[in-house]
């Protein structure tokens, strides 16, 4: 996907946005309603591993990323761009899309071994349209799954509304209407078909990165991280779960079900200022004040730390 391809998609975005100050979606959108919830991070691990199961993503991260040196910083920078696209004004969303594309332009190389349907010697590119579509798919699918897991099941028409809105988000990846299925149900089927297609396969770099990412960053978070790994495993398709070496059976499922039930009961009682992601809070303040920009709180650290503490408490229920 070239810069010219991206710019054509960005022109489509610009032409579709009525109020640039509001951004791509706005307060009444299904996208803001779902993406504002911090609980979507429950499926963040599953989305990350699913993305790594695309050989282009795994090799690109392994050979070009600073994941090991700055895991938390990379996490924050990634979501800074994603949330700028979702909650920011139009010019900020466009700027983030261009920034991500520029970074991806440098991420290219050769895969030394065969991986599923990819032969040894195949060249990978971070701006490959298929890889970008897979990353986009994992973000949308897992946001819906996390929301339904903890908050409420979504009706079919609500999922279709969310998916229809997400097509505008997809344009920021360079993905046009004919690159995506027509409905959310078809989108889910496409996800499942891709997992079985041979395009998605856990390679040695993906396995190594998953072992690193699923290791607790601090001994004090060991309990929370073990529980989070169980949740991650529960959300992975069976072939990927096996590929990443994550054992998961009825005993583990029962533990996840029990803790998720506890979270479902507690989550509505958490104040909105702790439940909602900082980017959403900043967007609300921006629109209320009439300013084009309102600086977000200093990263997501307080929110994420509180979320981890809640997860660790839920793990022992």
């Amino acid at each position: 996907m070239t810069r010219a391809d991206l710019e054509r998609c960005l022109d489509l975005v610009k032409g579709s946005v009525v109020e640039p100050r509001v951004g791509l979606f706005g307060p009444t959108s299904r996208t803001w309603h779902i993406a504002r919830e911090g609980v979507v991070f429950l499926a963040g691990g599953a989305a990350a591993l699913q993305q790594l199961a695309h050989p282009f993503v795994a090799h690109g991260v392994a050979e070009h990323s600073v994941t090991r040196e700055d895991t938390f910083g990379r996490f924050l920078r990634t979501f800074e761009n994603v949330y700028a696209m979702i909650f920011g004004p139009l010019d900020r969303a466009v700027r983030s899309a261009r920034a991500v594309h520029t970074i991806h332009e440098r991420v290219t190389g050769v895969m030394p071994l065969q991986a599923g349907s990819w032969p040894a010697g195949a060249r990978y590119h971070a701006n490959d349209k298929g890889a970008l579509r897979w990353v986009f798919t994992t973000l949308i699918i897992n946001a819906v799954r996390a929301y339904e897991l903890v908050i409420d099941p979504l009706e079919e028409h609500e999922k279709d509304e969310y998916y229809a809105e997400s097509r505008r988000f997809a344009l920021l990846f360079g993905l046009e209407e004919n690159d995506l299925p027509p409905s959310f149900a078809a989108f889910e089927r496409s996800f499942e078909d891709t997992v079985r297609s041979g395009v998605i396969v856990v390679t040695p770099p993906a396995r190594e990165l998953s072992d690193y990412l699923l290791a607790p960053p601090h001994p004090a978070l060991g309990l929370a991280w073990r529980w989070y790994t169980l949740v991650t495993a529960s959300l992975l398709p069976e072939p990927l779960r096996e590929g990443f070496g994550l054992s998961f059976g009825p005993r583990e499922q029962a533990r996840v079900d029990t803790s998720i039930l506890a979270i479902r009961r507690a989550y509505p009682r958490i104040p909105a200022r702790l439940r909602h992601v900082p980017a959403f809070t900043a967007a609300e303040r921006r629109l209320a004040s009439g300013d084009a920009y309102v600086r977000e709180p200093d990263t997501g650290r307080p929110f994420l730390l509180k979320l981890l503490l809640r997860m660790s408490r839920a793990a022992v229920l």
Side-chain angles (χ1 to χ4, degrees), residues 55 59 63 110-122 201 203-205:
H59 283 81
E63 297 177 10
V110 177
M111 296 192 299
L113 302 173
Q114 180 179 353
S117 61
W118 304 101
V201 59
T203 56

Side-chain angles (χ1 to χ4, degrees), residues 3 64-65 74 77 81 96-108 126-127:
R3 176 55 70 105
H64 297 271
S65 175
R74 184 181 185 278
R77 287 190 294 275
N81 281 312
S96 286
R98 287 177 176 144
V100 170
H101 185 275
T102 298
I103 293 169
H104 285 174
E105 284 180 321
R106 302 190 290 269
V107 180
T108 184
N127 278 329

Side-chain angles (χ1 to χ4, degrees), residues 25-40:
F25 305 111
T28 62
S29 68
R30 186 71 57 185
T31 297
W32 275 31
H33 184 75
I34 292 174
R36 70 184 181 181
E37 299 293 343
V39 77
V40 299

